[in-house]
Amino acid sequence: MPALAKDDDDDDSGVKAPPLRTDAVLQARDKYEFGRKYKADTKLMIDNMKIVTDMGRGTPQMEDIAKATRKQMIEYISLYRARPETTKLPSFSVMYTAINTVAGHYASYGYKYPIPEKRRVRLAEQYLEVERALARGK
């Protein structure tokens, strides 16, 4: 008998993407600026990425929020990729992957289309992994 392939919908990690939101708003400018402290900047970046990850179709200012967050993602990578002390951290490696996932979505589909469910679940797992690594100081 042939082996059964695992369905893509089967997720044994227990992590689920939060429900889609349509109440996201463009935040104050300081919520998109970094203080040059890796741990705090990474938490800020995750918070803003969670907002864009969870936005559903019809979210007011969706395009503006996504553009501001993408600009922030580029700044984050530019700032921390050049620092050897951060590039060796597991949290940075996973964060880099999550940023590439979100940026790739916007590069391919534009800012008006929400991130699909399967990608949202993977991002939720990555955000959790980064948060855990930061809590361990890694």
Side-chain angles (χ1 to χ4, degrees), residues 41-127:
D41 290 349
T42 302
K43 286 181 179 181
L44 178 63
M45 187 76 260
I46 288 175
D47 290 344
N48 288 341
M49 289 176 65
K50 284 179 178 179
I51 291 170
V52 297
T53 301
D54 299 339
M55 288 191 305
R57 190 178 289 272
T59 301
Q61 297 183 308
M62 182 175 190
E63 196 169 344
D64 295 333
I65 296 167
K67 283 180 180 178
T69 302
R70 186 161 190 228
K71 181 180 176 189
Q72 184 187 33
M73 292 187 302
I74 292 167
E75 182 183 337
Y76 178 89
I77 292 299
S78 298
L79 179 63
Y80 290 109
R81 182 175 52 189
R83 295 182 178 184
E85 66 272 14
T86 57
T87 56
K88 63 184 176 185
L89 296 172
S91 60
F92 181 78
S93 176
V94 177
M95 192 67 183
Y96 194 90
T97 302
I99 286 173
N100 279 335
T101 301
V102 174
H105 171 78
Y106 289 131
S108 297
Y109 301 103
Y111 298 106
K112 295 181 182 181
Y113 296 97
I115 295 174
E117 183 66 21
K118 192 173 179 181
R119 195 168 292 144
R120 290 176 62 242
V121 169
R122 185 173 357 116
L123 285 165
E125 291 169 353
Q126 290 170 342
Y127 299 153

Side-chain angles (χ1 to χ4, degrees), residues 20-57:
L20 289 173
R21 324 168 26 159
T22 56
D23 62 344
V25 294
L26 187 62
Q27 299 183 70
R29 184 182 174 129
D30 66 327
K31 294 293 184 183
Y32 295 99
E33 295 177 355
F34 296 121
R36 309 285 192 241
K37 294 188 185 214
Y38 176 74
K39 188 173 182 178
D41 290 349
T42 302
K43 286 181 179 181
L44 178 63
M45 187 76 260
I46 288 175
D47 290 344
N48 288 341
M49 289 176 65
K50 284 179 178 179
I51 291 170
V52 297
T53 301
D54 299 339
M55 288 191 305
R57 190 178 289 272

Side-chain angles (χ1 to χ4, degrees), residues 5-12 117-119 121 125:
K6 183 178 175 183
D7 286 345
D8 288 338
D9 293 338
D10 291 347
D11 182 17
D12 57 0
E117 183 66 21
K118 192 173 179 181
R119 195 168 292 144
V121 169
E125 291 169 353

